[in-house]
Amino acid sequence: MAAKALCLLAPFMTSLVAIPQASASDVLQFLTNIAPPYQEMVDGALDGSSMRTLSCVMTRLNQRYEVDLAPWLRAREQVRNGTAQGLFSVASDFDQSGNGRLSLPLALERWVWVTLTGVKPMRFALEKDQRVAAVLGSNQLKWLEGQGANIGGGARSTVQLLRMLAARRVDAVLVDEAELHIAWKEAGVDPTALAISFERYMPLGVYFSNAFLDANPGFLERFNREIAACPSSSMSLSPMERRAVLLVARHIQEMLLADPRLLPALLMADQASAGLSVPQILERDGLYQQHRAAMNHPLVLAVRDHPLSSLLARLRAASKGEVAEIQLFDNAGLTLAADPLPSDLWQADEAKFSQTVPKGPDSIFVDAISFDESTSQFSVQVSFALPGKEPGSVAGGLTIGLNIEHTLNTDGAKPWLP
């Protein structure tokens, strides 16, 4: 079955480099495979979370494109030989040959261990004596093989995996959580009989050939920038994930609020910034960004050397990687203290400020999961409005960035928190 999605968006496209590889001015050919909920057929049309994100990106790029279905091996060969330009949704270890590059995530797989309730503890740890299984040819099976796991068999689908588990042929199965919720009804398994624990995230992106990217310099960078404006539903936090990050973030917030230096410092910063106009604030922000790397400007040094920055740095170090960033800002959105130093001084143009400080002292904003390509880490920002001296007043805001894989894998034990 060959489903095709065509998007004709612009009568004129800027030509890039005229070589046999397709340029971004042509109709780009993408290939994919059915993998619900990322790519699936709905009423005869290709849909799914990855498909919707790709469509959003192409619309924002004003780029025409087509999507065909093809088996993975054939699809990879077509991208390699230039008859197609991209393949989605694939994991970071899809091709070790170095013949292509992966975009930022269109979607996010959540890998979970599934065991029988009462057979294994709620938190599953991979050990040599445990028989485990995953879908044949899946990213999960490749990962298990790389871990030297005792693989007790494979299955052609998540449904078959669950039946293997129910028959006690294996101790645990590793699956994508989204596929699990689709499969357990068909498998005839009572979900209350299953224990589920998080293992890791796996980003799924678009694989582009090096030949296409070389022929179209800057295309991948533009593509990645637009992904941020086209958030996938799979990047939103599940209720379980939201509870986990809020638990840690609230502990940090309470600890900081108990510090007698916090409120006076915020009130002093508010007084200093109260008379500043937006152009003046933007001028300060520009100077901060210009001198941040050199650390040779009073605006940069004021944040770095603030006593509260030292407190935040100690807290972040004690978390051993769980806290990725932590930042305090005043009612004007100007950063007072932070660790590490933020890329900009002014936060009022971001949701961390607009969804907290203007909305009152009880406001909380939990952002979607983001992926840092440079560190291959997944993080979530939790932001709070901080109460002022008078009832109902706000003294400023606090943003805590958490490495969410770390948070979900520590089973609630936070020895670094008081």
Side-chain angles (χ1 to χ4, degrees), residues 3-24:
K4 182 174 288 188
L6 174 63
C7 187
L8 299 174
L9 296 171
F12 174 78
M13 303 287 174
T14 302
S15 178
L16 294 175
V17 180
I19 66 173
Q21 278 283 330
S23 75

Side-chain angles (χ1 to χ4, degrees), residues 25-44:
S25 62
D26 299 326
V27 178
L28 298 189
Q29 304 293 326
F30 290 96
L31 299 172
T32 191
N33 208 330
I34 296 299
Y38 310 106
Q39 300 93 232
E40 56 186 330
M41 299 301 296
V42 177
D43 297 328

Side-chain angles (χ1 to χ4, degrees), residues 6 33 97 150 158 211 216 246 248 253 292 340 346 382-383 390:
L6 174 63
N33 208 330
S97 68
N150 178 11
T158 304
N216 296 275
L246 270 175
V248 177
Q253 179 205 25
R292 178 184 176 275
W346 195 44
V382 182
S383 299
E390 302 300 326

Side-chain angles (χ1 to χ4, degrees), residues 180-192:
L180 171 65
H181 290 295
I182 294 171
W184 63 32
K185 282 187 180 179
E186 186 179 344
V189 175
D190 179 3
T192 62

Side-chain angles (χ1 to χ4, degrees), residues 164-181:
M164 287 173 61
L165 179 66
R168 303 193 190 302
R169 289 169 51 195
V170 290
D171 297 309
V173 296
L174 185 62
V175 300
D176 175 28
E177 186 179 32
E179 293 181 9
L180 171 65
H181 290 295

